[in-house]
Amino acid sequence: MKEDTIPDIFLGKVKKYGDRVALREKEFGIWQEISWNQYCRHVRHFCLGLMELGLKKGDHVSIFGENEPEWLYADLAIQSAGAVAVGVYPTNPAKEAGYVIGHSESIFVVCDNQEQVDKVLEAGQQLPLLQRIIVTDIKGLRRYTDSMIMPFTSVEELGREVEEQDPDKYYRTVETVQSEDIAIMVYTSGTTGPPKGAMLSHDNVVQFLKAQSQVLPQYDTDEIVSYLPLCHVAERMMSVFFPINSGATVNFAESVETVSTDMREVLPTFFLAVPRIWEKIMAGIMIKMKDASWLKRKMYQVIFPVGERMADAKLAKEQVSISLKIKYGLAYLALLRHLKKELGLLRARIAVSGAAPIAPEVLKFFHSLGVPVLEGWGMTEETGIGAINLPDDVRLGTVGKPIPGVEIKIAEDGEILLRCNHIFVGYWRDPEATARTVVDGWLHTGDVGELDEDGRLKITDRKKEIIITSGGKNIAPSEIENRLKCSAYINEAIVIGDGRKYLTALIQIEYDNVGKWAQESGIAYTTFKSLSQNPRIWELIQQEVDEANKDFAQVETIKKFRLLEKELDHDDDELTATLKLRRKTVNKKFGHIIEEMYSSKSRG
Amino acid sequence: MSLLDIQNITLSFGGITALSEVSLSVEKGELYAIIGPNGAGKTSLLNCISGFYKPQSGTILFEERDISQNRPDQIAQMGIARTFQNVELFANMNVIDNMLLGRHNHFKIGLFKNGMLGYRAKAETEHRLKVEEIIDFLEMEQWRKHQVSSLPYGVQKRVELGRALAQEPRILLLDEPMTGMNQEETEDIARFILDVHQELGTTIVMIEHDMGVVMDISERIGVLDFGRKIAEGTPQKVQKDPDVQKAYLGENYEEVLKGAAG
């Protein structure tokens, strides 16, 4: 087999691994195993079923749901038919989901449950091309009379019947798929403007997998937990493409809320998380330590610095002294091992942070625990990772060196330009944006950064988000924001100051942790709003801001801040589906509070 | 023949008449709501059905058998399950154990078979599977092993619903399933009640104060006031009934309504 398309690679692994476990899904409290053969059977039947319903090469099909094996079956089935799989964020409200399904001209949509079906039906008017709504869990849908709705299993049944008549049809179809055909479309989260559909071909994915397996190889012994949204290119890689290339096992968490419990049971060896999750884990440990008994707290205070010293030595690639090795060994047995086990990271061979910038302090924390988290950077438009730190070659504050085949140069205005053999085909129905993004073969990433003398890439910020103060100073807000978010009491921070004399910030408190602190300090509150308005909470956050300010130059310090009275929410348009900030909306919505901070009379 | 047929029951405590001559019938597969102002006798009626109170006169026919003088445990055995206004769970046990208790009536094996490991293990697996199905149905995976007392009130109410479902009841009696809940929890529970009704086909009799929910999800409504049934019918019909408006808004209800409209 030539293995130049995604279904080809998949079928190669099915042949190789047969009855070995490919996927695990926790159902009724027990991990149910799905072998490569069963995986393949689902893909075949669903593919033939879709074709029976009228799917043709080049058509688009949306997948709209939480992570579950059916997501993968649908994804590979659609690609096997030469059609294009489009992921929709399960947290998207009806309007945004309708936009993606409609803009991609999807003829079918695969939903996981009634919640998503309701959204699709609500957006119905926008979707004249939609022919079928296929649903995996039909609970609550029995009384729906819409003739478009069809259970997932019925489609598979349809495909099974086709296969009985014509057992080779699936394999013949796969052979007609060409490597330059579009395989998937990934809608970017759209922090500015509506999302754009980046088209990735089979060749893009295949070339990327070749490059990735040289630097971060994955093996068939690896265990993965699938929990981030699959429509994002990073999780798509983790749960679909890496495993069908390596033979690793994918485990599906029971629900979004049980991820941490499921992690402890699976103990993944290859783990990806976004900065927000790493920050949350860190805050969780910090808060637990404050609550712990005197003995435990003392132990942590003695042991953690040993881990820190070990991490320092390793990061600096220094020779580790025997005494430190012994101390670390003891520290590991006494505390670090248990902590890693508790987090489900005991076996984590490779842990990656990506999709957004992370504060070096957070990374340092995990290195000290003995979980060397590797920060990577990449773009949907170049099929995943562009540069990444490698296990034995980490420099905090950088995203490491470009992966093999990726060439990076910095434009005069500081923008990072990238060239490789897996740059995307273009934006769907938007040739203008495509032409703006890829110029003479160079991908204009929209990120500003620099290369150091070793060729490591350091990301400053998104080009559009750089703040230029009225004093003419260029400031990268995300660096300051991430430093603020290191505090266990701060969930979200928005630094403001473009065209202003000084920097200010809007801060959203971490409700759980601040709430806990308030209870211990005897502060009464009822809701998020009443908590965030309490002057003593304001003082608490002031301390945290002062602490963060110490790490920055005078012009980069936060002079004033306000606490948000509500939690930012995707439903209210303030965050994207990937929980990235929509600055424009936030700045507009809280404009009056911002102005107040720049009027001379205000406090703080 | 109705699944549950209540005929002229009267219940009094000393000189106070809680229910007088109440009759109503619930068909198989129906979602029936009982509403009424405070002290109208709603919970008393539910307590009569589930055997906590014994009416002085009248009959309660469940599948054509009079159960009005039966003990609560006998009634539970027949397939009538209930939840309580204030959560009545075993606070120091975890969610699974609480729900397994709901399986009590389905534990069929006696002392002799229980002694033999094979039988017991098999039975236990079956019961656990049933409980897991309900956990999946009510989306409670994340709390499976949590001690009940540590859970938020809204979740505790869901556990109680789960325990009642574990009985695989033929009639499910819900006593104010939404009290004390916030908007989101109310919507969740309403969704689950509808799912139970539609997916499992369970007959449901529900007492509820939240009129929005009652009007949205129930098929038929009976209205009690001072221990008497004053109206019965579809949500639309009941809403327009002058007696019901009088019961809720007072004697001069017409003026009140005019005032609200103006």
Side-chain angles (χ1 to χ4, degrees):
Chain A
M1 219 175 275
K2 31 192 206 325
E3 303 219 332
D4 63 350
T5 66
I6 295 161
D8 264 356
I9 294 178
F10 172 62
L11 290 176
K13 288 301 160 312
V14 172
K15 212 169 160 188
K16 185 170 173 193
Y17 293 113
D19 288 326
R20 245 182 81 141
V21 182
L23 313 170
R24 274 192 215 102
E25 185 187 28
K26 199 175 183 185
E27 263 189 339
F28 304 133
I30 295 170
W31 290 97
Q32 317 277 346
E33 295 181 340
I34 298 158
S35 71
W36 284 93
N37 280 335
Q38 287 166 319
Y39 189 3
C40 182
R41 199 180 63 225
H42 284 290
V43 171
R44 281 197 324 261
H45 291 171
F46 195 66
C47 172
L48 295 172
L50 289 179
M51 286 168 68
E52 197 62 15
L53 291 172
L55 182 74
K56 283 188 241 7
K57 200 174 165 171
D59 282 341
H60 293 80
V61 180
S62 291
I63 312 175
F64 185 19
E66 306 278 358
N67 302 16
E68 55 179 4
E70 284 81 0
W71 212 109
L72 272 50
Y73 304 156
D75 192 20
L76 291 171
I78 294 160
Q79 296 175 39
S80 300
V84 182
V86 185
V88 185
Y89 285 101
T91 48
N92 267 354
K95 199 174 124 243
E96 284 176 47
Y99 177 83
V100 173
I101 299 168
H103 184 265
S104 64
E105 300 180 354
S106 294
I107 59 165
F108 304 143
V109 56
V110 181
C111 298
D112 63 346
N113 58 30
Q114 182 203 11
E115 186 188 346
Q116 317 299 14
V117 174
D118 282 343
K119 291 183 203 166
V120 176
L121 292 175
E122 194 184 325
Q125 262 73 33
Q126 293 169 261
L127 313 169
L129 298 170
L130 192 67
Q131 295 167 18
R132 292 271 175 195
I133 302 170
I134 298 159
V135 200
T136 48
D137 182 3
I138 55 164
K139 183 179 126 187
L141 287 167
R142 287 189 209 281
R143 299 215 174 163
Y144 283 45
T145 48
D146 201 302
S147 59
M148 283 210 283
I149 298 173
M150 190 170 178
F152 193 93
T153 46
S154 306
V155 180
E156 284 191 331
E157 183 55 28
L158 207 59
R160 198 185 59 76
E161 283 164 18
V162 174
E163 197 179 55
E164 266 174 16
Q165 302 292 318
D166 184 356
D168 284 337
K169 188 175 179 191
Y170 172 80
Y171 297 95
R172 283 202 311 276
T173 313
V174 168
E175 270 170 35
T176 64
V177 181
Q178 303 296 313
S179 67
E180 62 271 17
D181 290 341
I182 308 296
I184 61 171
M185 230 155 77
V186 177
Y187 275 80
T188 57
S189 51
T191 45
T192 53
K196 293 196 287 274
M199 296 184 281
L200 299 175
S201 68
H202 288 269
D203 188 52
N204 286 153
V205 176
V206 172
Q207 296 307 332
F208 173 74
L209 287 174
K210 277 185 189 155
Q212 168 266 330
S213 55
Q214 288 175 44
V215 283
L216 276 185
Q218 197 178 57
Y219 307 111
D220 58 11
T221 46
D222 273 322
E223 296 281 346
I224 292 155
V225 173
S226 174
Y227 72 103
L228 292 170
L230 272 165
C231 38
H232 191 280
V233 75
E235 185 65 41
R236 194 70 153 279
M237 284 292 162
M238 283 300 283
S239 302
V240 187
F241 299 140
F242 286 2
I244 64 166
N245 196 35
S246 66
T249 307
V250 184
N251 300 278
F252 289 90
E254 198 164 15
S255 74
V256 184
E257 293 83 12
T258 57
V259 173
S260 54
T261 328
D262 296 335
M263 286 267 298
R264 272 197 290 272
E265 289 174 6
V266 176
L267 295 180
T269 56
F270 204 104
F271 181 67
L272 167 80
V274 293
R276 189 176 282 264
I277 291 174
W278 294 118
E279 285 159 12
K280 259 217 135 91
I281 298 175
M282 177 171 141
I285 295 176
M286 301 282 214
I287 292 292
K288 276 217 177 107
M289 276 306 142
K290 280 186 190 164
D291 272 0
S293 63
W294 179 85
L295 185 71
K296 281 184 184 161
R297 219 166 40 232
K298 264 280 167 279
M299 229 166 94
Y300 178 78
Q301 282 164 5
V302 172
I303 288 174
F304 195 73
V306 178
E308 257 179 338
R309 255 182 299 172
M310 191 67 175
D312 281 336
K314 275 192 181 159
L315 286 170
K317 293 186 203 147
E318 283 167 5
Q319 196 74 30
V320 181
S321 67
I322 303 278
S323 74
L324 182 57
K325 268 187 187 159
I326 293 171
K327 273 193 210 157
Y328 184 78
L330 291 172
Y332 184 77
L333 287 177
L335 177 78
L336 301 179
R337 186 172 187 278
H338 303 287
L339 215 49
K340 273 169 79 172
K341 202 170 174 184
E342 183 67 20
L343 299 175
L345 293 170
L346 186 64
R347 294 199 297 174
R349 190 169 65 78
I350 288 178
V352 179
S353 170
I358 187 167
E361 287 82 356
V362 179
L363 289 178
K364 179 74 188 298
F365 178 83
F366 284 98
H367 279 262
S368 307
L369 282 187
V371 184
V373 180
L374 310 172
E375 187 180 9
W377 166 88
M379 306 270 299
T380 304
E381 288 82 352
E382 51 94 25
T383 331
I385 308 169
I388 190 160
N389 282 288
L390 297 179
D392 293 314
D393 185 22
V394 175
R395 173 120 9 121
L396 300 185
T398 77
V399 295
K401 292 175 186 166
I403 66 168
V406 169
E407 230 183 300
I408 284 177
K409 74 173 182 189
I410 309 293
E412 276 179 19
D413 61 354
E415 184 172 2
I416 301 165
L417 308 183
L418 180 149
R419 191 161 69 175
C420 61
N421 59 1
H422 40 84
I423 289 191
F424 76 137
V425 179
Y427 294 114
W428 172 246
R429 288 169 59 193
D430 199 347
E432 273 177 41
T434 310
R436 272 201 310 273
T437 309
V438 186
V439 184
D440 300 329
W442 287 94
L443 177 72
H444 289 240
T445 61
D447 279 335
V448 174
E450 50 199 73
L451 283 167
D452 70 8
E453 63 277 13
D454 300 331
R456 282 176 228 269
L457 185 64
K458 188 176 184 309
I459 311 288
T460 315
D461 210 329
R462 294 292 296 162
K463 194 173 163 186
K464 288 191 185 114
E465 296 187 350
I466 297 278
I467 290 175
I468 304 171
T469 60
S470 57
K473 183 87 186 145
N474 282 22
I475 291 165
S478 63
E479 206 176 319
I480 306 169
E481 287 163 0
N482 286 331
R483 175 63 188 85
L484 288 168
K485 282 191 269 179
C486 286
S487 157
Y489 300 117
I490 297 177
N491 186 314
E492 188 64 78
I494 305 130
V495 170
I496 297 141
D498 201 33
R500 313 267 193 179
K501 265 187 285 189
Y502 48 86
L503 297 186
T504 60
L506 296 175
I507 288 171
Q508 177 189 319
I509 54 174
E510 171 69 50
Y511 192 29
D512 293 347
N513 293 347
V514 175
K516 211 163 178 186
W517 183 86
Q519 274 173 15
E520 281 158 16
S521 320
I523 298 168
Y525 70 97
T526 50
T527 58
F528 183 86
K529 190 173 171 175
S530 73
L531 185 63
S532 61
Q533 281 175 330
N534 191 296
R536 286 194 47 204
I537 301 299
W538 192 86
E539 279 164 25
L540 171 77
I541 301 298
Q542 179 71 64
Q543 285 168 17
E544 298 290 315
V545 171
D546 289 344
E547 195 57 40
N549 275 343
K550 285 183 194 159
D551 293 347
F552 291 100
Q554 182 59 25
V555 286
E556 291 173 327
T557 55
I558 304 296
K559 301 289 187 298
K560 294 180 186 178
F561 70 90
R562 289 287 180 275
L563 298 181
L564 293 175
E565 287 176 5
K566 72 177 275 292
E567 292 183 272
L568 299 179
D569 196 9
H570 181 200
D571 283 343
D572 294 338
D573 223 26
E574 294 140 350
L575 300 176
T576 68
T578 46
L579 304 181
K580 285 183 187 169
L581 253 164
R582 284 198 171 120
R583 274 173 208 276
K584 245 187 214 157
T585 323
V586 172
N587 286 350
K588 210 162 101 191
K589 219 172 201 165
F590 301 103
H592 56 287
I593 309 180
I594 296 172
E595 286 315 316
E596 200 185 287
M597 287 192 285
Y598 288 101
S599 69
S600 51
K601 279 170 282 181
S602 70
R603 71 171 171 177
Chain B
M1 187 66 207
S2 310
L3 185 62
L4 182 71
D5 199 358
I6 298 169
Q7 292 167 354
N8 301 315
I9 59 166
T10 299
L11 174 74
S12 46
F13 302 104
I16 300 163
T17 309
L19 296 168
S20 70
E21 303 278 305
V22 174
S23 297
L24 59 86
S25 61
V26 180
E27 303 300 322
K28 195 166 188 303
E30 201 174 22
L31 205 171
Y32 190 100
I34 300 169
I35 62 170
N38 284 333
K42 303 183 296 288
T43 300
S44 297
L45 180 59
L46 221 55
N47 283 340
C48 284
I49 303 173
S50 55
F52 285 94
Y53 296 157
K54 310 236 178 302
Q56 279 83 10
S57 67
T59 54
I60 300 174
L61 296 176
F62 173 61
E63 294 182 324
E64 298 178 41
R65 265 173 74 186
D66 186 7
I67 58 166
S68 61
Q69 302 305 320
N70 284 68
R71 294 194 311 269
D73 61 303
Q74 294 169 327
I75 290 171
Q77 189 95 47
M78 290 174 207
I80 298 181
R82 71 170 292 179
T83 66
F84 296 85
Q85 199 166 340
N86 304 311
V87 177
E88 307 280 354
L89 290 166
F90 295 89
N92 292 320
M93 288 177 13
N94 69 21
V95 171
I96 287 188
D97 289 340
N98 265 288
M99 290 174 66
L100 275 172
L101 269 170
R103 299 290 302 161
H104 161 256
N105 283 327
H106 296 270
F107 288 157
K108 289 282 184 284
I109 53 175
L111 191 64
F112 179 66
K113 275 190 175 177
N114 217 342
M116 294 194 283
L117 206 62
Y119 279 111
R120 199 179 65 201
K122 186 161 170 280
E124 274 179 7
T125 315
E126 276 167 23
H127 294 306
R128 177 63 190 271
L129 182 65
K130 185 72 206 167
V131 166
E132 283 293 341
E133 281 169 13
I134 295 163
I135 286 179
D136 180 60
F137 195 88
L138 298 178
E139 294 165 23
M140 299 197 298
E141 294 91 351
Q142 56 175 318
W143 300 294
R144 199 183 267 133
K145 298 270 171 72
H146 286 230
Q147 194 178 322
V148 161
S149 58
S150 72
L151 296 173
Y153 184 70
V155 178
Q156 293 192 10
K157 292 215 96 160
R158 221 193 282 181
V159 177
E160 210 187 23
L161 175 60
R163 184 179 62 185
L165 286 179
Q167 287 187 44
E168 298 179 59
R170 272 179 286 189
I171 291 192
L172 179 60
L173 310 174
L174 303 174
D175 195 353
E176 304 204 6
M178 282 100 176
T179 30
M181 295 205 177
N182 63 31
Q183 184 65 23
E184 203 182 325
E185 289 169 332
T186 302
E187 282 170 17
D188 280 350
I189 282 281
R191 186 71 248 167
F192 287 127
I193 291 173
L194 268 183
D195 282 345
V196 168
H197 181 230
Q198 293 176 3
E199 291 291 305
L200 309 178
T202 311
T203 310
I204 297 176
V205 178
M206 171 179 83
I207 296 176
E208 184 48 56
H209 267 301
D210 188 324
M211 282 304 136
V213 174
V214 170
M215 296 299 162
D216 274 353
I217 69 174
S218 38
E219 293 167 336
R220 228 151 44 95
I221 297 174
V223 190
L224 293 184
D225 190 25
F226 294 114
R228 287 168 193 283
K229 187 171 87 172
I230 56 169
E232 186 175 42
T234 60
Q236 294 78 13
K237 190 181 149 206
V238 166
Q239 266 174 318
K240 293 201 188 86
D241 192 295
D243 285 334
V244 177
Q245 294 179 349
K246 202 186 291 174
Y248 272 91
L249 303 171
E251 281 299 329
N252 50 353
Y253 68 96
E254 279 175 331
E255 285 164 40
V256 177
L257 280 179
K258 254 183 243 159

